[in-house]
Amino acid sequence: MMGNNEITKYLAEKKKIVDSAIKKYFADFNPLFETMYYSVDGGKRIRPILAIASFESCGGKNIETILPIACGLELIHTYSLIHDDLPAMDNDDFRRGKESAHKKFGEAMAILSGDGLFAYAFELFTEGANLINEKFAAMKAVSEVVGPKGIVYGQVLDISDRKELSPKALRKIHLNKTAKFIAVAVKVGAIMAQSPKDTIDVLYNAGLYLGILFQYTDDILDVIGEKNKLGKTPGKDVASSKLTAPALYGIDGTRFRAKRYAELAKIKFSTLGDNFRIFNALTDFILTRTY
Ligand code: GRG
């Protein structure tokens, strides 16, 4: 078993690796890179860390193989946050502990900055001349969940004011908006480590549970979290009458279900054996996170 200190140390170490790789990709090309970097800087880096954890658990040795893809995921995630914060969407002026992109640079630059990050991610995915088939598979998997079959569809459902208040509708939003992207982060690590299809499939399915869990804890933190610790504005979901887990189940009911999703994720990961122990600790971290 991994203790609380150990997982905190693990996350800090991996975050440092991701942060310095990202910095390298934002070297001085033109001023737009500085604008984009403002928003990229400061996240928890959960998605890239999941990709690295999966790559290493699957026996991947050279971290450089997964790093550009892991960083690309973070750029796509950041684009989605920038666009989500826009006045036409969630309208939030505070993100990652500072002014959100449109507040700092204006709406036009925020939109363009998101567009730039989205495209630049795919350039990072193509870095290097090796493992072309794996990179193709990784890009296919990512592109399938960040567009109209995933994040963008999830956002469309999320902003719709004609939602039915049902567990099924909630699950559809959570799956598309959050869980598929978290699951694909776990999946690309396995793809780049050249794992067999069975392993890749188990990891994706376990990742879906982890992703739903992630959105459950995000929903809980929107109700009980502190602005400074979260680095974003809590209370937005109630203010905009969002369909969330607490809206449907209350806080206690949401906590109960979150624990159940954590168990389901851990059971699935554990079928892959001891090499995947880290995912137990990562799941617990996501269950108990306060930011
Ligand atoms: C296509 C115009 C257009 C907009 C797209 C894709 C999109 C807008 C929004 C994505 C939906 C979204 C914001 C989902 C929420 C996912 C989530 C829980 C984000 C918070 O992630 P953390 O906690 O944040 O990992 P940090 O800042 O730590 O990276």
Side-chain angles (χ1 to χ4, degrees), residues 43-44 47 74 77 79-81 83-84 89 96 151-152 155 177-178 214-215 218 232 289:
K44 294 186 284 297
R47 294 150 192 84
E74 186 64 21
H77 170 56
Y79 126 81
S80 81
L81 300 178
H83 282 196
D84 187 51
M89 305 258 175
R96 291 184 162 172
I151 292 181
V152 179
Q155 182 77 350
K177 174 171 98 157
T178 311
F214 192 89
Q215 190 57 54
D218 197 75
K232 60 181 180 180
R289 71 197 177 99

